[in-house]
Amino acid sequence: MMPARMYDLTALKAPVEQTPVVCRDLVSAQDFSPEETKSLFELSHIIKHRPADFRGALAGKQLVLFFEKASLRTRLTFEAGMASLGGTSLFMDQTRSLLGEREPVRDIARNVERWVDAVVLRTFAHSTIVEMAHHTCIPVINALSDLEHPCQAFADFFTLEEKFGDLSQIHMAYVGDGNNVAHSLMLAAAALGTSISIATPEGYAPDAEIVATAKRIGRTTGAFIEITHDAVKAVTGANAIYTDVWTSMGQEAEAAARTAIFTPYQVNEQLFSHAAPHAVFMHCLPAHRGEEVTASVIDSPRSIVFDQAENRMHIQKAILLLLLGSGMRTSPPRSNHA
Ligand code: CP
Ligand code: NVA
């Protein structure tokens, strides 16, 4: 048995004597520095290939998951991942009663820290996750909000690193709605030095503050960040084309209007023909064949959607180890997206 602390995680550690021990969270993809993100990938790689070495690494630890929205991948990968590390998960179904309706989020925060070791939240409002993180001293992990989906983005770039190697040499094109998944992809790309083009219809561009943050980080890592309404321009020469649903959870009333607006942004054979010859197709799933992507693309050999789904578990196991273990208890760069 080789516990996680035996691996070299020096990039994640600040001198304990000089820095007060405070809790680290993953509310936004920008909460992990570029160095920490690279270390996360190194640990994920080891966990993926030597899972037995980490059995029992989180023995006795307990995770609570509060989900206001449906989930297959995120819930199962957290629960299975926690179990394989020797810990326990408790699922709280909040789909019928949103967090904060029965009692204030800050009171929930101050209760759960007395019982469990970390909180995973899937919410409508990003502010719910920010508030939980603000009021509790245990790690809080964003499992998707209206603003971000950081665990997804980290798994996606980890998948691309497996396929292509050096992430600073590739170009991702995201085509679709500039919301939660696009935001976290952009921030993760910036941290990893990966160039990214985001193509959306007018009125659906990513949040300007997140774009500015990604561009600022990108200037330090060499990542080129492009925001456009031209899907062909975005995908031309790209190594990976990524899309997400046109109607996210909670937007169902807008579905018909969105279908009309997003149809020119469908990822199909014709759009894919502009990408690099070896380009891969990516999607966070669930996917709607015939809407944001055609079956001929998502069911083709160039699709890596199930590799992405698999890697959700490996990356989240590494996140849990880092946040619940000893590796990331210091030096918090708090997300400023309230
Ligand atoms: N991609 C993703 O987060 O899937 P779920 O909604 O099924 O968790
Ligand atoms: N944008 C989608 C992602 C689902 C994983 C949603 O928020 O529903």
Side-chain angles (χ1 to χ4, degrees):
M1 173 103 42
M2 191 177 298
R5 63 179 173 276
M6 287 186 64
Y7 294 105
D8 180 12
L9 301 177
T10 44
L12 303 177
K13 291 180 180 169
V16 174
E17 320 76 57
Q18 295 168 21
T19 314
V21 174
V22 291
C23 175
R24 290 292 302 272
D25 303 306
L26 178 55
V27 174
S28 163
Q30 64 178 292
D31 287 345
F32 284 12
S33 70
E35 294 73 27
E36 288 171 339
T37 308
K38 285 178 188 148
S39 295
L40 171 71
F41 285 20
E42 283 169 24
L43 181 58
S44 302
H45 184 80
I46 298 166
I47 290 171
K48 178 170 181 173
H49 294 284
R50 299 176 62 180
D53 288 355
F54 296 85
R55 301 256 188 272
L58 292 184
K61 300 283 188 185
Q62 299 195 79
L63 187 67
V64 64
L65 298 98
F66 291 103
F67 276 39
E68 294 179 342
K69 296 172 178 170
S71 173
L72 172 69
R73 281 148 291 275
T74 309
R75 176 181 175 178
L76 274 179
T77 51
F78 266 113
E79 292 193 6
M82 189 65 179
S84 80
L85 295 169
T88 305
S89 301
L90 305 155
F91 184 76
M92 298 291 286
D93 182 354
Q94 299 290 153
T95 55
R96 290 194 202 111
S97 164
L98 300 187
L99 281 161
E101 276 183 12
R102 183 164 178 263
E103 60 186 308
V105 171
R106 64 179 178 278
D107 283 358
I108 300 172
R110 296 189 63 191
N111 275 264
V112 294
E113 70 187 16
R114 304 291 181 108
W115 306 320
V116 300
D117 301 285
V119 188
V120 175
L121 294 165
R122 170 165 284 201
T123 62
F124 285 93
H126 187 72
S127 58
T128 303
I129 304 179
V130 172
E131 191 178 355
M132 182 72 80
H134 186 73
H135 289 285
T136 190
C137 63
I138 56 176
V140 170
I141 301 171
N142 181 349
L144 181 142
S145 67
D146 56 358
L147 195 69
E148 281 211 49
H149 198 1
C151 299
Q152 178 74 53
F154 288 149
D156 296 335
F157 281 103
F158 178 69
T159 308
L160 280 178
E161 190 177 62
E162 288 183 325
K163 302 289 171 200
F164 292 106
D166 186 354
L167 287 172
S168 71
Q169 299 302 308
I170 66 167
H171 175 211
M172 174 188 279
Y174 173 96
V175 180
D177 195 3
N179 68 344
N180 46 15
V181 171
H183 289 153
S184 292
L185 286 173
M186 197 167 37
L187 289 168
L192 291 158
T194 308
S195 292
I196 184 166
S197 298
I198 309 256
T200 73
E202 285 184 34
Y204 296 87
D207 177 86
E209 191 184 335
I210 295 184
V211 173
T213 301
K215 286 187 172 175
R216 178 176 50 74
I217 298 168
R219 280 193 288 276
T220 69
T221 63
F224 172 70
I225 315 282
E226 178 186 47
I227 310 299
T228 178
H229 300 307
D230 184 339
V232 171
K233 180 173 174 233
V235 305
T236 297
N239 306 100
I241 299 183
Y242 197 122
T243 192
D244 184 12
V245 292
W246 291 340
T247 301
S248 286
M249 290 180 278
Q251 299 172 332
E252 289 76 9
E254 302 170 27
R258 283 174 165 269
T259 298
I261 292 164
F262 280 91
T263 292
Y265 291 81
Q266 183 188 64
V267 177
N268 50 35
E269 299 279 353
Q270 208 279 326
L271 186 65
F272 224 97
S273 69
H274 299 279
H278 57 268
V280 296
F281 172 73
M282 304 181 78
H283 195 305
C284 53
L285 302 178
H288 299 118
R289 288 168 177 76
E291 295 183 28
E292 73 272 8
V293 60
T294 57
S296 63
V297 170
I298 194 171
D299 297 322
S300 73
R302 64 194 158 202
S303 171
I304 59 169
V305 298
F306 300 114
D307 297 324
Q308 293 172 253
E310 179 192 337
N311 285 334
R312 294 292 306 279
M313 186 163 79
H314 306 304
I315 211 95
Q316 285 160 205
K317 285 171 72 176
I319 291 167
L320 290 170
L321 272 175
L322 293 173
L323 294 181
L324 288 168
S326 60
M328 293 186 76
R329 308 282 300 176
T330 56
S331 306
R334 166 75 65 200
S335 158
N336 55 13
H337 293 294

